[in-house]
């Protein structure tokens, strides 16, 4: 309900530009623990902690510099990703903190650590990493390290592993493109939009074997690489080389023969053991996200004759499992010449993401053998497939080879048999590295780097069953060496990302459809509120898998490691016209849905921060190209382009020479967004600010019951899209059992962003109750930059809530007395919502529009009825004349 302001009070004033870091989201060096009873984080005082922030950064998936060594090997350097220098990092950390960011998921790829060879670590980059994250800690940020990969490596169309890993297995990346072993773009078409066309991909000029570019992206086709031979082979070898390819061994000096898969996994784990040792002294580091979006490769694939289309994206030319192996052979040893492989070509469709529209023949006489010279085809060597003169295709295979252990015949479960043991190995290694690092620095084992592990499920499959070990809890100090466990799934609106389009007129629960449901009516949602409900349903299902992950029932925080929106949706409309309505609605719906799941204690890191996000314009073709510098993705919440930023961020410093300058400015269906301009350069570069920079209770002195923000004016009208209604409630605790400062244990701290509340008169309501009958309510009008007061709870002896508000630090603090233990404290804040008069106008317009639609529908029904009647009459007349 909107409360009327007193007539003699101005509703706005000159805002106070924040001058200090928000106290509400300042975690400094405070360790975090699992909450004793709830699925959330807690601090040493027993308060519920909400961690909300960003992935930093999207550009870290691609190297800053590519050079060639003396032996002709391509060498990548990530030094300078995502910040050019330490000074820039410090500036951005301070700004992100001002925006309410409390947690950072730091993106680092394996190639950045070990780019040249096994054990040859890039200490220059690791030193850069230490200094940048040290600055994050100085600004009160918590960080967890995301060991990132997509489709295994940039050489297979994604990011992650270094080039030398392919050599261990015997694959030659130069030949990936010509054999559909990976979907890659050649250098002369990197900026072309024709990657959408499967015919284009197939009809590409046959590239010379040694000239396929190794560092070019695969653009919108990159997710299809998970079911291509290069990526599937590398993941299978990494997780289960000794099981499925025991003959694939390499000679290790001084150690004899060892399976190539074991060598890779050992190298991965040892690299990050080394990093943990080097970063051990940084208390801002919360822990590790061990592998981004892990994939089983061939493991568990029911048949090499097909991939699961519900879980693996099919687009363009898509060889099945055995076809990929045959193409990789280059026809070497084929039973007869002129052998061709018939490949399916997929195009976009609905309701399935794609369908086969045609077939093309691949001529094996091209002779592009993906296996390097003098290296065996590991799958042929293991008898997975072979040339077969009697088969009309010319080859045969053991279609179910990867469903069971080749030696024992026992059924294979990827998560139980391979993924979970790998996670445990990794955690043991970084624990050891941390201890060594603390010893190097002479620090006690209870200090330094945190020991949380953020466990991701396999996308579209579900979580692994976690085997409980020695976890940290509120009564066990970090010196005991335990790890805290956090479930960290990812979520995206796959249809919007896949089609680069959004309309909330009708939306679908794609997650349910991907699980096999074909009840489209049940999973259809209508209107903007329907989109919010749709997303709530999907996030609820995501969180509901927690019991499958942790059957022990121990309290386990959930953090959505990645979610976000493609800003280039709907045909680049926002870049062309400045209308950011669809971006605002989508982002607001995603975050609003996460806030409304369960008790509101979901944590998240949005994808992503990329300071070098830019837009280029090609005057020859009059086409726009936007992105984060990796595979044409455009998810960054920060951009140098003016079309979606209220305050421009240094466009002249952009690296790209084709960077465009434009006079287009952001608006929400005609209402220009200018709110940020009154706050100087605080929000310079930020896009769709009101939708994702929101109030939230970072530290709650009790058990959270509800926490959500309803953004005002997102449907447009006469006001800018800012302000709204924040609501929260929590069951007050009694303190922390005497362990520490009991006053802090009873203090709740709420982040109140300047974008929504700065310079405004707003309404704060506080109440406390044990039952909803006779709810006492106190309404406070906040009219100044610094103010405080006490709310007495009359029916509780000694019961009171002391509150304070600081516009400079964007924080509201609430301190309840011990007498309110067990009572529910309810807080709401409202600012910038439409007045009753405006709501009346909106209501009138809505009623007129609704009646108009009803009238049109009735007119169609009447016309259809009349036409049917007339046709029937004419039919009867025809019959009468005929007979």
């Amino acid at each position: 309900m909107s409360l009327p302001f007193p007539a003699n009070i101005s509703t706005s004033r000159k805002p106070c530009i924040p001058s200090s870091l928000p106290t509400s989201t300042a975690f400094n060096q405070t360790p975090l623990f699992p909450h004793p009873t709830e699925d959330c984080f807690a601090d040493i005082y027993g308060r519920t902690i909400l961690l909300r922030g960003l992935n930093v950064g999207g550009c870290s998936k691609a190297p800053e510099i590519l050079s060639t060594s003396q032996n002709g090997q391509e060498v990548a350097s990530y030094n300078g990703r995502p910040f050019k220098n330490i000074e820039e990092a410090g500036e951005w950390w301070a700004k992100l903190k001002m925006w309410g960011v409390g947690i950072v998921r730091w993106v680092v790829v394996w190639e950045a650590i070990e780019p040249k060879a096994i054990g040859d670590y890039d200490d220059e980059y690791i030193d850069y990493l230490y200094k940048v994250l040290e600055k994050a800690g100085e600004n009160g940020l918590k960080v967890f390290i995301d060991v990132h990969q997509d489709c295994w490596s940039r050489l297979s169309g994604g990011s992650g592993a270094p080039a030398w890993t392919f050599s261990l297995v015997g694959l030659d990346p130069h030949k990936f493109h010509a054999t559909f072993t990976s979907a890659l773009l050649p250098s002369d078409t990197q900026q072309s939009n024709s990657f959408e066309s499967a015919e284009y991909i197939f009809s590409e000029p046959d590239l010379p074997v040694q000239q396929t570019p190794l560092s070019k992206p695969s653009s919108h086709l990159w997710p299809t690489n998970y079911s291509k031979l290069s990526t599937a082979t590398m993941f299978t070898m990494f997780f289960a080389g000794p099981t499925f390819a025991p003959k694939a061994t390499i000679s290790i000096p001084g150690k004899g023969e060892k399976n190539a898969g074991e060598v890779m996994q050992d190298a991965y784990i040892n690299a990050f053991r080394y990093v943990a040792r080097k970063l051990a002294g940084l208390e801002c580091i919360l822990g590790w996200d061990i592998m981004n979006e892990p994939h089983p490769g061939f493991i568990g694939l029911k048949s090499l004759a097909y991939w699961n289309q519900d879980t693996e994206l099919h687009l363009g030319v898509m060889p099945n499992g055995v076809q990929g192996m045959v193409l990789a052979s280059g026809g070497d040893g084929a039973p007869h010449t002129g052998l061709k492989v018939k490949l399916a070509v997929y195009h976009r469709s609905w309701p399935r993401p794609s369908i086969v529209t045609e077939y093309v023949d691949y001529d094996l006489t091209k002779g592009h053998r993906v296996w390097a010279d003098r290296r065996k085809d590991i799958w042929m060597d293991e008898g997975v497939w072979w040339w077969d003169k009697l088969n009309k295709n010319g080859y045969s295979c053991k279609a179910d080879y990867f469903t069971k252990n080749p030696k024992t015949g026992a059924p294979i479960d990827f998560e139980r048999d391979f993924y979970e043991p790998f996670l445990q190995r990794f955690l043991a290694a970084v624990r050891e590295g941390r201890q060594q690092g603390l010893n190097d620095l002479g620090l006690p084992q209870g200090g330094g780097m945190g020991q949380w592990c953020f466990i991701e499920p396999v996308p579209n499959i579900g979580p692994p069953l976690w085997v409980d070990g020695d976890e940290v809890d509120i009564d066990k100090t970090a010196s005991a060496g335990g790890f805290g466990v956090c479930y960290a799934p990812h979520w995206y609106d796959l249809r919007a990302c896949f089609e680069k389009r959004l309309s909330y007129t009708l939306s679908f629960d794609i997650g349910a459809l991907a699980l096999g449901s074909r009840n489209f009516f049940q999973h259809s949602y209508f209107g903007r509120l329907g989109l919010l409900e749709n997303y709530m349903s999907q996030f609820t299902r995501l969180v509901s898998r927690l019991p499958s992950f942790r059957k022990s029932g121990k309290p386990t925080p959930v953090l959505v490691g990645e979610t976000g929106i493609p800003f280039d949706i709907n045909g680049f409309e926002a870049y062309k016209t400045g209308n950011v309505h669809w971006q605002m609605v989508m982002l607001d719906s995603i975050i609003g849905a996460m806030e409304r799941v369960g008790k509101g204690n979901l944590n998240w890191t949005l994808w992503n921060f990329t300071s070098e996000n830019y837009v280029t314009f090609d005057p020859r073709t009059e086409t726009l190209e936007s992105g984060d510098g990796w595979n044409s993705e455009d998810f960054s919440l920060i951009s140098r382009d003016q079309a979606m930023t209220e305050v421009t961020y240094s466009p002249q410093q952009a690296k790209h020479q084709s960077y465009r300058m434009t006079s287009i400015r952001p608006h929400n269906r005609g209402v220009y967004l200018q709110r940020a301009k009154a706050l100087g350069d605080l929000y310079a570069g930020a896009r769709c600010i009101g939708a994702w920079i929101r109030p939230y209770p970072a530290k709650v002195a009790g058990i959270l019951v509800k926490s959500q923000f309803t953004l005002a004016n997102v449907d447009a009208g006469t006001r800018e899209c800012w302000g709204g209604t924040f609501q929260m409630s929590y069951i007050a605790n009694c303190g922390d059992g005497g362990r520490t400062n009991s006053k802090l244990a009873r203090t709740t701290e709420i982040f109140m962003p300047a974008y929504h509340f700065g310079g405004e008169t707003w309404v704060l309501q506080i109440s406390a109750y044990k039952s909803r009958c006779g709810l006492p309510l106190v309404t406070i009008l906040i009219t100044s930059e610094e103010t405080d007061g006490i709310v007495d709870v009359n029916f509780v002896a000694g019961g009171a809530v002391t509150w304070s508000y600081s516009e400079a630090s964007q924080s509201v603090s609430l301190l309840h007395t011990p007498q309110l233990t067990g009572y529910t404290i309810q807080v709401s804040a409202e600012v910038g919502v439409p007045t009753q008069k405006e709501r009346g106008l909106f209501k009138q317009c809505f009623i007129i529009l609704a009646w108009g639609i009803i009238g049109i529908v009735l007119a169609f029904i009447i016309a259809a009825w009349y036409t049917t009647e007339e046709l029937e009459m004419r039919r009867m007349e025809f019959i009468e004349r005929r007979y």
Side-chain angles (χ1 to χ4, degrees):
M1 174 179 179
S2 179
L3 299 174
F5 289 109
N8 61 338
I9 294 182
S10 170
T11 59
S12 63
R13 50 183 166 75
K14 185 177 180 180
C16 169
I17 298 177
S19 57
S20 59
L21 297 177
T23 55
S24 52
T25 61
F27 299 108
N28 298 320
Q29 313 305 333
T30 306
L32 297 182
F33 304 89
H35 195 282
T37 61
E38 304 297 310
D39 291 324
C40 55
F41 295 97
D43 64 7
I44 193 66
Y45 309 113
R47 296 182 294 183
T48 297
I49 299 297
L50 295 187
L51 298 177
R52 292 174 181 176
L54 300 174
N55 283 264
V56 179
C59 63
S60 298
K61 299 200 285 185
E64 175 76 2
I65 299 172
L66 279 172
S67 58
T68 304
S69 63
Q70 292 181 350
N71 61 4
Q73 180 184 0
E74 184 181 70
V75 179
S77 172
Y78 289 76
N79 194 6
R81 291 288 196 184
F83 305 116
K84 291 189 292 291
N85 51 56
I86 309 305
E87 291 71 25
E88 183 189 43
E91 293 170 3
W92 270 114
W93 290 140
K95 180 170 284 190
L96 293 179
K97 193 67 183 177
M98 290 286 194
W99 295 356
V101 172
I103 183 75
V104 168
R105 183 174 182 251
W106 178 267
V107 176
V108 59
V109 296
W110 180 11
E111 185 178 45
I113 306 300
E114 202 172 11
K116 298 178 182 178
I118 295 178
D120 188 357
Y121 304 124
D122 188 344
D123 284 308
E124 183 181 0
Y125 171 77
I126 296 172
D127 182 59
Y128 162 85
L129 185 60
Y130 184 96
K131 293 176 180 177
V132 167
L133 297 186
E134 184 180 40
K135 284 289 183 183
E138 291 173 3
N139 285 278
L141 289 162
K142 285 289 185 185
V143 178
F144 67 101
I145 296 175
D146 158 41
V147 185
H148 204 93
Q149 74 78 34
D150 302 278
C151 302
W152 183 258
S153 168
R154 64 184 172 86
L155 304 190
S156 47
S159 65
W164 51 260
T165 58
F166 293 103
S167 300
L168 291 179
V169 175
L171 291 173
D172 182 358
H174 293 93
K175 304 170 187 176
F176 286 175
H177 174 77
T179 56
F180 302 108
T181 300
S182 292
L184 300 170
L185 287 181
S187 56
D188 60 342
T189 58
Q190 185 179 355
Q191 301 299 326
S192 171
N193 290 326
S194 54
F195 53 74
E196 300 280 2
S197 166
E199 294 86 353
Y200 157 78
I201 299 168
F202 186 77
S203 62
E204 272 241 353
D206 190 25
L207 297 174
V209 173
Q210 298 299 327
Q211 292 183 15
T212 302
L214 297 185
S215 58
K216 300 303 179 185
S218 54
S219 202
H220 290 182
L221 291 175
W222 74 263
T224 68
N225 285 320
Y226 278 113
S227 47
K228 298 285 175 62
L229 178 115
S230 59
T231 300
T233 294
M234 297 306 291
F235 273 115
T236 303
M237 291 297 296
F238 180 84
F239 284 113
T243 300
F244 292 111
K247 297 178 183 177
T249 60
I250 57 176
S251 178
I252 306 295
K255 297 183 180 180
E257 296 290 315
K258 193 170 185 179
N259 187 269
E262 282 187 291
V263 173
M264 272 197 295
Q265 190 173 121
D266 287 348
Y268 184 98
I269 290 172
N270 289 335
F272 290 98
R273 175 193 280 114
Y274 183 80
V275 173
R277 182 171 185 173
K278 292 293 185 179
L279 305 184
L282 295 178
E283 295 185 351
C284 66
I285 297 178
L286 191 57
W288 297 85
D289 186 336
I290 299 169
M291 179 179 283
N292 179 72
E293 298 180 359
H295 195 275
F298 289 123
I299 304 169
L301 185 63
K302 292 182 179 180
S303 173
L304 287 172
Y306 60 86
W307 291 92
N308 185 346
Q309 205 173 337
D310 287 330
T311 58
E312 307 295 339
L313 177 62
H314 287 53
L315 194 63
V317 179
M318 295 295 299
N320 61 32
V322 66
Q323 286 176 337
M325 295 176 184
V326 172
L327 297 183
S329 73
D332 186 18
H336 52 78
T337 60
L339 188 63
K340 294 183 178 181
V341 182
K342 189 176 183 179
L343 304 175
V345 181
Y346 289 79
H347 280 82
R348 301 179 189 277
S349 68
W350 179 255
R352 297 192 71 87
S354 59
I355 58 172
V356 178
T357 57
E358 61 181 306
Y359 292 88
V360 293
D361 290 328
Y362 182 90
D363 187 357
L364 280 177
T365 60
K366 293 179 179 180
H368 294 312
R369 188 174 187 270
V370 171
W371 302 100
D373 294 340
R374 297 185 298 278
R375 295 296 294 271
K376 291 182 179 180
D377 175 341
I378 61 174
W379 302 128
M380 178 176 277
D381 198 34
E382 298 293 345
V384 180
W385 78 280
W386 58 91
W387 296 116
D388 187 351
K389 293 181 180 180
L390 301 180
N391 189 304
K392 65 178 181 178
N393 294 322
Y395 56 87
S396 295
C397 71
K398 296 178 182 176
D400 63 348
Y401 178 79
F402 295 99
T403 62
K404 53 194 175 185
N405 189 305
K407 287 186 178 180
T408 66
I412 287 292
D413 182 284
F414 168 71
E415 294 167 321
R416 178 198 65 207
D417 299 331
F418 304 110
Y419 184 41
E420 165 86 12
F422 159 70
L423 296 176
Q424 298 290 356
R425 285 193 67 210
F426 185 99
L427 292 176
V430 294
R431 175 185 297 188
E432 179 185 341
R434 171 185 173 273
Q435 291 172 343
Q436 291 172 342
L438 293 176
N439 289 336
D440 295 341
L441 298 170
L443 296 175
Q445 290 299 311
M449 176 189 294
Q451 300 194 82
W452 280 87
C453 54
F454 296 79
I455 305 301
E456 295 190 35
V458 177
N460 303 320
I461 293 181
L465 174 60
W466 183 256
V467 178
D468 284 320
D470 187 24
E471 289 84 19
V472 174
D473 62 41
I474 195 71
D475 291 312
K476 184 187 291 184
T477 64
S479 61
F483 274 89
V485 180
C486 176
Y487 181 49
H490 296 178
W491 182 91
Y492 290 96
D493 183 334
L494 295 179
R495 188 182 182 193
C497 294
F498 181 61
E499 298 179 354
K500 290 291 184 82
R501 299 198 64 83
L502 176 73
S503 172
Y504 50 70
T505 303
L506 174 63
S507 62
F508 298 94
D509 183 344
I510 299 299
L513 299 178
L515 291 173
S517 173
R518 290 298 176 260
N519 189 337
F520 290 96
F521 181 78
Q522 179 184 354
H523 303 305
S524 300
Y525 298 84
F526 301 91
R528 189 180 69 80
L529 294 181
L531 185 68
L532 174 64
E533 186 181 351
N534 179 1
Y535 290 168
M536 285 175 60
S537 173
Q538 296 192 54
F539 279 113
T540 299
R541 182 168 56 249
L542 200 69
V543 174
S544 70
R545 294 170 179 166
L546 186 60
S548 300
F549 171 66
R550 203 94 184 270
K551 290 196 179 291
S552 66
K554 290 185 178 181
T556 305
V558 181
L559 183 145
V560 179
E562 285 187 24
T563 187
I565 70 167
F567 280 89
D568 54 349
I569 54 175
N570 296 349
F572 287 86
E573 178 188 358
Y575 287 115
K576 296 173 182 177
T577 68
N579 181 16
V580 296
H581 176 71
W582 300 107
Q583 287 83 355
M584 292 289 292
V585 166
M586 188 176 182
L587 198 50
D588 176 56
S589 297
I590 289 173
I591 299 177
M594 289 192 290
E595 291 173 335
R596 288 162 173 78
V597 170
K599 297 180 179 181
N601 53 15
L602 198 60
N603 307 276
W604 61 76
T605 47
L606 302 175
W607 185 268
N608 70 82
F609 167 96
T610 300
S611 65
E612 290 295 335
N613 176 283
Y614 57 81
V615 175
T616 61
F617 177 73
D618 187 342
R620 298 170 299 173
T621 58
E622 296 188 351
T623 57
L624 292 170
E625 174 108 1
S626 65
D628 305 332
W630 183 84
N631 272 339
S632 297
E633 286 198 345
D634 188 12
F635 284 78
S636 177
L637 293 156
I638 289 87
S639 179
R640 293 182 183 273
D641 191 75
Q642 300 99 311
M644 280 191 264
T645 56
E646 297 179 43
V647 179
T648 303
Y649 167 61
S650 304
Q652 68 277 10
Q653 296 179 10
K655 295 180 179 179
H656 205 284
Q657 295 179 352
S658 302
Y659 176 86
R660 73 164 188 168
M661 298 293 291
T662 179
S663 59
I664 298 171
R665 290 295 179 268
H667 62 88
N668 182 29
R669 287 185 166 175
V671 180
Y672 281 87
L673 306 181
Q674 305 180 74
R675 172 79 174 163
K677 291 182 178 179
L679 293 160
D681 64 353
L682 175 62
Y683 295 108
R687 308 200 271 193
C688 296
I689 304 167
W692 68 277
I693 298 181
R694 306 157 75 98
Y696 73 97
K699 305 167 187 174
V700 181
I703 297 175
L704 192 62
V705 176
K706 173 183 178 180
S707 172
Q708 63 188 49
F709 177 63
T710 302
L711 180 62
N713 311 307
V714 73
D715 291 317
T718 59
R719 290 192 176 200
E720 288 186 56
C721 191
W722 64 269
T725 303
F726 167 72
Q727 297 173 307
M728 72 166 290
S729 55
Y730 60 99
I731 301 172
N733 64 16
C734 60
D736 60 349
R739 277 184 293 268
T740 56
N741 189 328
S742 62
K743 185 175 180 180
L744 277 177
R746 291 182 282 107
T747 300
T748 294
E749 299 178 56
I750 308 170
F751 173 68
M752 307 295 282
Y755 187 85
H756 293 293
F757 295 90
E760 298 297 321
T761 293
W762 54 279
V763 176
L764 174 67
Q765 294 180 326
I766 302 173
S767 61
Y769 60 91
K770 270 199 172 178
S771 69
R772 297 212 173 254
C773 300
L775 176 67
L777 183 67
V778 175
T779 300
I780 306 152
L781 207 61
I782 306 296
T783 61
S784 60
E785 298 173 4
E786 300 282 340
T787 184
D788 54 43
I790 298 177
V791 174
D792 290 315
V793 183
N794 299 327
F795 61 91
V796 179
V801 177
T802 301
W803 62 271
S804 64
Y805 169 63
S806 170
E807 192 168 311
S809 64
Q810 306 178 84
S811 299
V812 162
S813 176
L814 305 169
L815 172 64
H816 65 264
T817 57
Q819 289 83 353
L820 289 181
T821 298
Y823 281 77
T824 297
I825 297 177
Q826 183 171 298
V827 182
S828 67
E830 188 174 274
V831 62
V833 297
T835 63
Q836 293 291 348
K837 182 178 179 180
E838 289 172 322
R839 289 179 178 179
L841 290 173
F842 292 151
K843 186 176 181 179
Q844 291 175 28
C845 292
F846 176 77
I847 292 173
I848 293 171
L849 179 62
W851 277 112
I853 294 173
I854 291 171
I856 292 171
V857 172
L858 287 174
F860 273 111
I861 293 173
I862 293 170
W865 174 82
Y866 175 79
T867 302
T868 304
E869 288 290 307
E870 186 166 336
L871 287 173
E872 181 65 18
M873 289 174 63
R874 289 183 179 181
R875 189 177 70 87
M876 294 302 295
E877 288 175 1
F878 172 77
I879 293 173
E880 289 174 0
R881 285 197 303 268
R882 184 172 181 180
Y883 297 102

